[in-house]
Amino acid sequence: SESLYDHMMTLEEGLVFHWNDPGEDGVGANVFSGRIVHVSETAERAASYLALGVSNVEFPTSESELMIGSDAIIGVVSTSDVAKYYLGSRMPGENGIRKMEDEKQTLIDSKIQTHVGDDGSVTTILSFEKNLKEDDSKEIVIKKDARNTFLFAVGLQSNGDGLSYHGSRGAFQLDFDEIVYLAEKGQIGSE
């Protein structure tokens, strides 16, 4: 349930991101946990995949600049597979969007689920826990005390199964310290 998370942010209509603050010490100190929830009114507009990426570009000049060179967590509905990917280009393949090697698949408690409501609406949920800093020096570090640039994408069933072109996409920046401060001051929601 959403109450398991410290914060939430609406990314666009029908798409909400929930996350927890990385802890300071002990369990959860170096872990980023989150959930993306996509709700569509019909099965045709349901998600075929959900993705959350992290970019090392702080001030992008184009969308291409954000995606290429980023790392992403992608959950594919048809296979129930959630994995880490390199985004080397905009197309799947060896030099493009490709799944990281097995030894780099360090996600914890990751899953993608769907639920069809009585009204025909479809809710798709991607949940994950990811190390802020991985052993692989090539993976982008998610910073606890600085601004992070995240990307999101939703593939639509109407575009086909798997990693088809996304039906929607975007980016946002998040500084965990800043968000915690604003939440404590009552300036943003923290459900």
Side-chain angles (χ1 to χ4, degrees):
S1 94
E2 285 74 28
S3 62
L4 299 174
Y5 295 92
D6 298 328
H7 307 283
M8 65 178 263
M9 171 189 306
T10 299
L11 301 174
E12 61 183 32
E13 186 176 340
L15 188 66
V16 178
F17 177 53
H18 303 264
W19 74 95
N20 282 335
D21 297 319
E24 293 300 320
D25 299 309
V27 178
N30 293 304
V31 175
F32 174 49
S33 59
R35 171 182 286 175
I36 299 175
V37 180
H38 178 263
V39 179
S40 64
E41 293 180 12
T42 65
E44 292 77 34
R45 301 292 301 163
S48 61
Y49 69 86
L50 294 175
L52 180 73
V54 61
S55 174
N56 58 7
V57 178
E58 190 170 344
F59 300 104
T61 58
S62 71
E63 284 186 17
S64 295
E65 185 180 15
L66 275 177
M67 183 176 169
I68 297 170
S70 296
D71 298 334
I73 299 166
I74 302 176
V76 179
V77 172
S78 63
T79 62
S80 299
D81 184 47
V82 178
K84 295 188 323 187
Y85 285 76
Y86 295 115
L87 305 180
S89 77
R90 300 179 117 185
M91 303 300 291
E94 185 176 328
N95 295 317
I97 302 169
R98 64 181 171 85
K99 189 185 276 191
M100 292 183 188
E101 299 80 7
D102 287 344
E103 63 271 11
K104 295 179 183 173
Q105 295 299 335
T106 57
L107 295 174
I108 307 160
D109 294 332
S110 58
K111 60 186 168 191
I112 189 158
Q113 302 171 297
T114 58
H115 171 75
V116 179
D118 293 339
D119 61 355
S121 65
V122 179
T123 302
T124 306
I125 303 169
L126 168 66
S127 55
F128 62 88
E129 292 182 14
K130 182 193 180 308
N131 296 321
L132 295 172
K133 182 175 181 359
E134 301 287 355
D135 291 337
D136 179 8
S137 63
K138 294 180 183 176
E139 284 190 53
I140 298 170
V141 174
I142 298 173
K143 302 169 285 284
K144 276 203 264 192
D145 55 356
R147 181 174 293 155
N148 295 279
T149 301
F150 291 100
L151 324 168
F152 64 88
V154 179
L156 298 180
Q157 290 291 347
S158 57
N159 291 343
D161 278 348
L163 296 179
S164 58
Y165 186 75
H166 29 66
S168 66
R169 66 184 185 277
F172 61 97
Q173 293 186 322
L174 184 62
D175 179 327
F176 296 112
D177 286 342
E178 184 176 311
I179 292 296
V180 171
Y181 175 76
L182 292 174
E184 289 172 353
K185 298 297 181 187
Q187 295 175 1
I188 63 168
S190 62
E191 295 183 4

